[in-house]
Amino acid sequence: ISACLLCSEMCIRDSCKSQSRFSRDMAVVETYIHDKFPEWGVRFVSIIDHADSLDVTNKKTRQINGLVNEWYCEEVSANVRKVLQHKREEGKFTGSFAPYGYLVDPEDKNHLIIDEMAAPVVRDIFSWYLQGWGYRKIAAALNEAGIPNPTSHKRRTNSRYVNLSLIHISEPTRQ
């Protein structure tokens, strides 16, 4: 937030591209544009929607645009859920990363193939579980045998196991 050189009021330094980039939740938009921003001396300007909190004539337009943006977001979300549900019903893999013991098929991202390196370990785990072993006993046996945990295995085989775009958020800065 900085002082606007044109109107000598406090303004958002970089205007929003569109109101939908600010928020797709009408309650949030209304709360900020009509309550919080005036209280803080902030002017809301949206470039694409031509919304300006100082222009009282476009209040209804802002509200209609906000409703349309909210409906669009809900519709896209519902459509994505339907597509994913349909894929799962067809037996297709819809996850981001293959579970331990599997690899994403390089020919079809919705199909899993057996990870032959991890398969013997998975078979042992399954066998031990059927014999009545508990999780702790299985983990102790794997540790004693020097079997790497799933994350270490995926690192060693250069498999994807983490969303790379989130690394900067989850990992502390190293100095």
Side-chain angles (χ1 to χ4, degrees), residues 2-11 41 43 54:
S2 63
C4 177
L5 300 175
L6 299 174
C7 62
S8 69
E9 292 188 24
M10 294 303 288
C11 295
R43 177 182 178 192
L54 292 183

Side-chain angles (χ1 to χ4, degrees), residues 2 8 18 21 41 45 50 86 122 129:
S2 63
S8 69
S18 73
R21 302 308 300 155
V45 177
H50 304 290
H86 180 70
V122 174
Y129 186 77

Side-chain angles (χ1 to χ4, degrees), residues 13-39:
R13 183 178 302 148
D14 297 316
S15 302
C16 278
K17 179 179 173 183
S18 73
Q19 182 175 311
S20 68
R21 302 308 300 155
F22 173 63
S23 175
R24 290 182 178 91
D25 182 341
M26 271 306 295
V28 170
V29 171
E30 291 299 304
T31 299
Y32 276 87
I33 291 179
H34 301 294
D35 297 331
K36 301 271 187 200
F37 287 171
E39 178 183 320

Side-chain angles (χ1 to χ4, degrees), residues 44-88:
F44 178 81
V45 177
S46 167
I47 299 167
I48 293 175
D49 300 332
H50 304 290
D52 185 342
S53 60
L54 292 183
D55 185 355
V56 293
T57 63
N58 71 14
K59 179 179 179 182
K60 286 183 176 75
T61 304
R62 274 197 325 269
Q63 291 172 334
I64 291 169
N65 283 343
L67 280 173
V68 170
N69 290 335
E70 190 171 333
W71 293 335
Y72 176 74
C73 186
E74 290 170 3
E75 186 177 337
V76 167
S77 178
N79 289 341
V80 167
R81 281 194 305 273
K82 285 178 189 176
V83 167
L84 290 174
Q85 180 63 32
H86 180 70
K87 283 183 173 185
R88 285 190 291 271

